[in-house]
Amino acid sequence: MAKNYTEQEIQILAKSTIGKSFSEIEKTFSKNKEYNLEETTSYVMEDTVPYGNKKKKENKAYFGHTFETNVYDYDINSTSAPDFEKAGIELKVTPYKRNKNNTLSAKERLVLNIINYMEEYKNTFYTSHFWYKNNKIQIIWYLFEPNVPKKDLKVTHEKLFTFPEEDLPTIINDWEFIINKIKEGKAHELSEADTMYLGACTKGTNGQTVRPQPCSSIMAKQRAFCLKQSYMTTLVRKYIGNYEDVEKILKNTKDTFADFIDNVINKYKNKTQKELIQELNIEPDTTAKNLNGMIVARMFNVKSNLRKTDEFQKANIVPKTIRVEEDGTIEQSMSFPCFSFIDIANTDFENSDIKEELETTKYMFFVFKKDNKDYVFKGIKLWNMPQNLIETNVKNMYDKTKEVILNGNIVKTIRKDGKRVTNFPGMKENKVCHVRPHGQDSDDVLPLPVKDNFTGLNEYTKHCFWINNKYLEEILKEFI
């Protein structure tokens, strides 16, 4: 168990590690088990001290364990209480990264406590184990740098974190959604993308660890409460940098994010594009490709892309405008970013970007349906891919794509008009998703890990995953 540190002592020790690498932290604190808290911030490490005094497994837990066993001098444990029970503080060590455009992002979600399906559903939010353990968190941030050994990564910032007043209603709403799923006997259907800020992520070996649930005989994947990576990114940008220009939607309101969205949608629902253009003071250029996107942004009174706002980033919600024709059809499938052929060849589905995207992302479809030569805003649908489809249809598409790439069997034949026909999974063989080109033209290519057998090419036109337009029609059938 952790020592009975006070809140002040916990913070003094946290601050004393800033600027140090993990190997320096091990050297510093393994040598000075009997340190003076007032002097730790100015302690000068002696290079003669041998590296560490304990063997650490080179795994993800290394960083947290370094703080537990060295800085705070307590044994690694899985107790259900906060790490510092007397102070009511949980300890978390988490990475962030610098992106190519020089902005900062969280590298991963912040995993909190395991969800005890058999007990947590009996509680209210403020009597829950989640709140008891996580209402105050001492966060230690270190900068992740590729190709740098773990022990050489450096701690840069710390924050004694409590949930901001404006975020708490949404956190409570998320917790209640997860608990209600358990009460309905649907813990096996939980997905991290179900909720806004607080998620239920898989926890265990390859997501295959299961445990019983109270209201169903179906075994459910073991899951933990987590602060989503998108939410953690907003904390990184707020407390470390790159936060100043982020627009907020929730201003001077105690509504939850979901309630606020409902109020906005109800205000503009069933109005035509022409009416919305006039009401929202948009220049009447109906030829603009992003017209519906402009309309949606103005609905929420934001100047930038809605996706870049504080709340949409925290919740990892991707807004998508969908046009439905008069006959109820959706002409366009929904694309994802182009994938790397080499990355696909070297990555199994369990660790793939597409699986991570679909399990953690919620999509907000803004539906415009054509009626008498004008498009009418019919409303929104918040949607995330059901877990059973991710593990079947999406996995089958991914595995087939990887097989085609690795075997060098991309091109099946070339038509008379010169267009290539590929072996990638198409819409006819998968009702949910498919693969097709997404480059600017045939010269917009990426390298292949294996030369294509049919053409002899060692690079190929950019491709991406798509959600089928017919499946979108099924998702949005209430608007059709």
Side-chain angles (χ1 to χ4, degrees):
M1 291 292 292
K3 290 182 176 179
N4 288 328
Y5 293 113
T6 65
E7 181 176 304
Q8 182 183 18
E9 290 171 337
I10 292 165
Q11 283 201 280
I12 289 173
L13 287 168
K15 291 179 188 298
S16 74
T17 66
I18 291 175
K20 292 184 173 67
S21 69
F22 281 84
S23 63
E24 290 172 335
I25 290 169
E26 286 187 312
K27 292 176 184 179
T28 300
F29 291 95
S30 63
K31 181 181 179 182
N32 282 316
K33 287 302 180 185
E34 298 299 329
Y35 38 74
N36 184 320
L37 285 168
E38 295 180 357
E39 296 175 353
T40 52
T41 53
S42 60
Y43 176 81
V44 179
M45 184 194 72
E46 294 180 11
D47 292 332
T48 56
V49 179
Y51 168 63
N53 69 335
K54 298 182 181 181
K55 291 184 178 179
K56 296 286 190 300
K57 293 181 179 179
E58 283 296 310
N59 58 23
K60 204 171 182 180
Y62 164 75
F63 304 104
H65 290 175
T66 298
F67 271 79
E68 291 170 348
T69 60
N70 288 280
V71 178
Y72 292 106
D73 194 21
Y74 70 89
D75 295 331
I76 298 166
N77 64 80
S78 57
T79 178
S80 60
D83 291 313
F84 306 102
E85 189 170 10
K86 181 181 177 181
I89 295 174
E90 180 75 355
L91 174 69
K92 291 295 178 183
V93 182
T94 189
Y96 69 98
K97 61 183 180 179
R98 189 172 298 280
N99 302 313
K100 291 180 180 178
N101 63 0
N102 212 36
T103 59
L104 303 178
S105 296
K107 186 175 181 292
E108 58 196 37
R109 63 178 67 82
L110 186 67
V111 180
L112 303 172
N113 58 295
I114 295 289
I115 303 172
N116 187 334
Y117 300 134
M118 305 302 289
E119 295 296 329
E120 188 75 329
Y121 79 102
K122 301 174 184 178
N123 301 315
T124 63
F125 179 79
Y126 287 108
T127 63
S128 68
H129 181 57
F130 164 79
W131 186 248
Y132 170 61
K133 190 171 176 66
N134 303 297
N135 71 86
K136 191 178 288 187
I137 306 172
Q138 176 63 62
I139 300 178
I140 309 290
W141 272 293
Y142 65 91
L143 177 62
F144 171 81
E145 298 180 86
N147 304 316
V148 174
K150 289 183 179 182
K151 63 185 179 63
D152 293 332
L153 296 175
K154 290 188 176 183
V155 171
T156 64
H157 294 77
E158 63 82 31
K159 174 69 178 177
L160 185 59
F161 176 77
T162 56
F163 292 104
E165 184 179 353
E166 67 268 22
D167 293 350
L168 195 54
T170 299
I171 294 288
I172 294 172
N173 208 47
D174 289 342
W175 182 88
E176 289 175 344
F177 180 95
I178 293 166
I179 296 305
N180 285 335
K181 275 269 185 133
I182 297 170
K183 289 179 179 179
E184 293 168 2
K186 296 179 180 179
H188 57 288
E189 295 181 6
L190 279 169
S191 168
E192 188 175 338
D194 286 335
T195 47
M196 300 291 191
Y197 302 167
L198 180 70
C201 64
T202 54
K203 181 72 173 173
T205 307
N206 296 323
Q208 299 305 310
T209 306
V210 294
R211 59 194 306 165
Q213 56 174 312
C215 304
S216 172
S217 59
I218 300 173
M219 297 293 282
K221 282 186 177 182
Q222 179 171 274
R223 290 184 178 271
F225 289 113
C226 70
L227 295 178
K228 295 187 178 187
Q229 182 176 352
S230 51
Y231 184 84
M232 291 303 296
T233 290
T234 65
L235 298 188
V236 166
R237 293 178 179 178
K238 181 174 182 178
Y239 297 119
I240 300 177
N242 306 122
Y243 194 80
E244 292 78 7
D245 297 327
V246 178
E247 283 192 85
K248 285 181 176 288
I249 293 173
L250 296 176
K251 302 165 186 174
N252 303 318
T253 177
K254 293 185 178 180
D255 287 342
T256 66
F257 184 30
D259 288 340
F260 184 81
I261 289 170
D262 286 342
N263 292 336
V264 171
I265 300 311
N266 290 334
K267 181 178 179 181
Y268 297 109
K269 192 174 179 179
N270 294 321
K271 294 185 178 182
T272 66
Q273 275 186 340
K274 290 180 181 178
E275 291 171 333
L276 291 169
I277 287 170
Q278 184 175 4
E279 184 173 344
L280 298 168
N281 297 316
I282 296 172
E283 290 295 325
D285 180 10
T286 55
T287 61
K289 288 184 177 180
N290 65 337
L291 175 60
N292 287 339
M294 291 167 60
I295 290 172
V296 167
R298 291 290 180 88
M299 285 180 185
F300 287 87
N301 194 29
V302 298
K303 299 175 182 178
S304 62
N305 185 315
L306 196 60
R307 187 178 182 179
K308 295 180 180 179
T309 59
D310 179 70
E311 293 82 4
F312 272 75
Q313 287 187 29
K314 284 178 182 174
N316 197 22
I317 294 177
V318 176
K320 293 280 187 180
T321 58
I322 302 289
R323 293 195 308 181
V324 180
E325 302 308 315
E326 285 185 287
D327 61 359
T329 60
I330 296 173
E331 294 182 353
Q332 297 294 323
S333 296
M334 189 177 93
S335 65
F336 291 85
C338 295
F339 57 67
S340 160
F341 299 111
I342 292 174
D343 285 350
I344 297 287
N346 292 329
T347 309
D348 59 19
F349 179 68
E350 190 65 33
N351 298 300
S352 65
D353 289 340
I354 188 67
K355 182 174 185 288
E356 174 80 9
E357 163 105 4
L358 290 173
E359 285 188 336
T360 60
T361 305
K362 189 181 288 288
Y363 299 89
M364 185 178 288
F365 295 119
F366 292 81
V367 182
F368 291 80
K369 185 174 181 181
K370 195 169 189 180
D371 182 19
N372 194 25
K373 297 184 180 181
D374 198 357
Y375 283 94
V376 178
F377 176 57
K378 304 301 290 185
I380 68 162
K381 184 178 180 72
L382 268 171
W383 175 87
N384 54 277
M385 179 78 76
Q387 194 68 32
N388 66 308
L389 292 184
I390 295 173
E391 294 171 355
T392 53
N393 293 73
V394 179
K395 184 179 187 300
N396 291 340
M397 174 194 65
Y398 185 91
D399 289 345
K400 174 69 181 298
T401 301
K402 180 176 180 178
E403 179 186 346
V404 166
I405 294 170
L406 282 174
N407 291 337
N409 289 333
I410 292 179
V411 179
K412 182 189 298 184
T413 186
I414 299 178
R415 300 188 327 202
K416 291 182 180 179
D417 61 5
K419 291 187 177 180
R420 302 166 185 156
V421 179
T422 73
N423 286 304
F424 286 131
M427 282 192 276
K428 290 183 179 179
E429 59 188 285
N430 193 315
K431 72 172 186 176
V432 172
C433 46
H434 67 283
V435 174
R436 76 169 193 262
H438 197 42
Q440 296 180 1
D441 52 43
S442 60
D443 294 325
D444 192 7
V445 298
L446 286 173
L448 295 171
V450 177
K451 186 182 294 186
D452 180 61
N453 296 325
F454 191 92
T455 62
L457 295 171
N458 56 15
E459 57 185 13
Y460 203 71
T461 307
K462 289 178 180 177
H463 276 60
C464 77
F465 300 116
W466 298 73
I467 292 181
N468 300 352
N469 59 335
K470 294 297 180 184
Y471 180 58
L472 288 175
E473 291 173 11
E474 185 178 326
I475 294 169
L476 301 171
K477 58 187 176 184
E478 67 260 41
F479 300 103
I480 296 172

